[in-house]
Amino acid sequence: MNSNVNELIRTAPLFSGLPEASVNQATSHVVTRSHPKDRVILLENDWGGSVYFILEGWAKIRTYNLEGKEVTLNILGKGEIFGEMAALDEVPRSTDVITLTPTTIGSIPAQDFIQLIHDEPLAGVRLSQLMAKRLRQVNRRLRLRESDSTSRVADTLLFLAEGQGKLKQQGTEIPNLPHRELSSLSGLARETVTRVLTKLEKKGLIKREHDIMFIPDLAALERIIA
């Protein structure tokens, strides 16, 4: 494993602060692959032989509702892991994972991941915190399903900021996702999402520049949620 990949692996919150020897052992069999945009990485019902973490790029976690409509459950970026539940439960995967941009992904064998959790209590704590955070996010989005469209789009942007926001001079930076992805995340029609984003931009609550969106004031965006 080259030094650049090793440095990227250590950006994952799961590994931060763990003893170097434990991280080296857990990642000794790591395999890295680069994928183009819109590449399916995992499919629902695949078996969980590996745990994955994003080194560069963005990916979405996808499933389908009873009507067969695609539902985006989460957007993952650099440092985040996926596939851990199937590895722990030894059951087939419950969602698909698809790249949204050119993405580099590292994978470690499930047994190495489980051994790390067994040997390092802090790794177990970090994993529990990750699962708790994702559960809180899902609960919040479910509560907002009956809210107005502006609240739902604003909450979706805050959701992205919490997971992958980067503090910049212009504000908090998040990916300027295609409107179809924001539509799937918020449960709104694409046309509605486009209309709300235009309104938020006119109010100065967001700024869009190519692939990047800036939120100048997170608290101001939070206040418009009904």
Side-chain angles (χ1 to χ4, degrees), residues 5-55:
V5 171
N6 185 56
E7 182 179 349
L8 287 170
I9 285 173
R10 290 180 179 278
T11 65
L14 178 70
F15 298 122
S16 177
L18 297 182
E20 184 174 356
S22 297
V23 176
N24 290 341
Q25 181 176 353
T27 59
S28 60
H29 302 112
V30 69
V31 175
T32 62
R33 291 188 175 90
S34 295
H35 303 277
K37 178 182 177 181
D38 297 324
R39 173 65 57 85
V40 176
I41 305 301
L42 295 176
L43 283 172
E44 185 175 352
N45 295 320
D46 285 349
W47 285 91
S50 297
V51 175
Y52 304 82
F53 46 95
I54 298 178
L55 300 175

Side-chain angles (χ1 to χ4, degrees), residues 76-110:
L76 303 180
K78 181 177 178 179
E80 295 199 85
I81 71 170
F82 59 93
E84 74 286 348
M85 291 179 63
L88 291 169
D89 289 347
E90 297 183 342
V91 296
R93 303 187 189 279
S94 57
T95 56
D96 303 334
V97 180
I98 302 97
T99 59
L100 291 172
T101 63
T103 303
T104 301
I105 292 176
S107 64
I108 60 176

Side-chain angles (χ1 to χ4, degrees), residues 206-224:
I206 63 171
K207 297 177 182 178
R208 290 181 282 183
E209 297 180 6
H210 304 293
D211 296 332
I212 299 298
M213 181 185 296
F214 296 100
I215 305 174
D217 186 345
L218 292 175
L221 189 62
E222 180 88 42
R223 284 195 294 270
I224 72 170

